[in-house]
Amino acid sequence: MNYRLAKDELSELLERIAPATLFTTGEAFDGLTAPDGMILTDRNQLPTGDGVERAWPDLSGDGSEIAVQLFTSGTTGKPKAAILRHENLMSYILGTVEFASAQEGDTSLISVPPYHIASISQVLSAIYAGRRIVFLENFEARAWLDLCAAERVTNAFVVPTMLVRIVDELAQGSWDLSALRGISFGGERCRWR
């Protein structure tokens, strides 16, 4: 979910997706009340193998269950849910990524918001390939370049506006991006200035 939505919009979306488990941060959903069947879990409090028993929903199923609902906002109207099922995500990963194909040191930089399909597919692809993952919580071109250089990132995905900002920032400084082998982008065509 786009945590930048107004609280009333977020409340309405929570009602639409319940029952579900939502991983978030406390501050992103301050002031919201979870509807019946909704489990709000602070991502900073995820299980760590500390022996503490937690209540998790039943995870059995045949793959046709909903894995992700992405809310897309068009130019008019309320956000619409794009439904991705476990079988859809598995089909994508199995058809595009070779299992454990990452080389030692391969690192994916995730900088696309978590409510974007690119973020979800990039996380799943990196895990399946066995790449290390680093996250950039809030995109800024200089921060992206700094993290890319510091973490020796090999793979990244950006949307076109991010790519334009990165290229513009490259003209302002120097970074060692020698580890970077691939940048993917999508969403719209890229408009260069």
Side-chain angles (χ1 to χ4, degrees):
M1 294 185 150
N2 184 345
Y3 52 86
R4 293 181 180 111
L5 293 172
K7 296 296 182 190
D8 60 327
E9 293 172 308
L10 284 170
S11 293
E12 187 177 313
L13 293 181
L14 290 176
E15 287 286 341
R16 286 172 58 185
I17 66 170
T21 300
L22 183 65
F23 297 94
T24 183
T25 59
E27 60 273 5
F29 288 88
D30 279 345
L32 293 178
T33 302
D36 288 343
M38 176 66 63
I39 301 169
L40 296 179
T41 302
D42 190 314
R43 70 176 187 202
N44 299 317
Q45 304 298 320
L46 292 175
T48 59
D50 56 11
V52 176
E53 197 158 322
R54 291 172 173 79
W56 290 96
D58 178 16
L59 299 177
S60 61
D62 66 2
S64 64
E65 299 80 20
I66 296 172
V68 177
Q69 289 186 54
L70 296 173
F71 288 95
T72 60
S73 296
T75 55
T76 62
K78 296 181 186 277
K80 292 159 186 63
I83 305 235
L84 300 174
R85 300 183 184 282
H86 292 282
E87 60 194 357
N88 304 131
L89 294 172
M90 282 304 299
S91 176
Y92 168 75
I93 295 302
L94 294 175
T96 59
V97 181
E98 188 175 330
F99 179 68
S101 59
Q103 299 172 20
E104 187 173 336
D106 280 3
T107 302
S108 283
L109 172 54
I110 313 275
S111 58
V112 180
Y115 51 83
H116 193 286
I117 183 57
S119 182
I120 293 166
S121 61
Q122 190 179 12
V123 167
L124 294 175
S125 296
I127 290 170
Y128 194 70
R131 280 196 285 303
R132 183 172 71 100
I133 301 172
V134 295
F135 291 91
L136 179 62
E137 194 160 334
N138 293 303
F139 177 81
E140 291 178 28
R142 182 170 292 272
W144 190 94
L145 288 162
D146 290 344
L147 189 58
C148 196
E151 296 291 339
R152 308 281 301 152
V153 168
T154 58
N155 301 79
F157 182 97
V158 294
V159 295
T161 56
M162 294 167 126
L163 184 58
V164 169
R165 290 179 187 164
I166 290 165
V167 171
D168 287 347
E169 190 66 36
L170 281 169
Q172 308 301 317
S174 178
W175 290 266
D176 177 5
L177 304 177
S178 59
L180 189 59
R181 291 196 308 264
I183 297 177
S184 303
F185 77 94
E188 63 182 59
R189 75 173 188 241
C190 210
R191 294 175 182 88
W192 299 105
R193 295 173 209 171

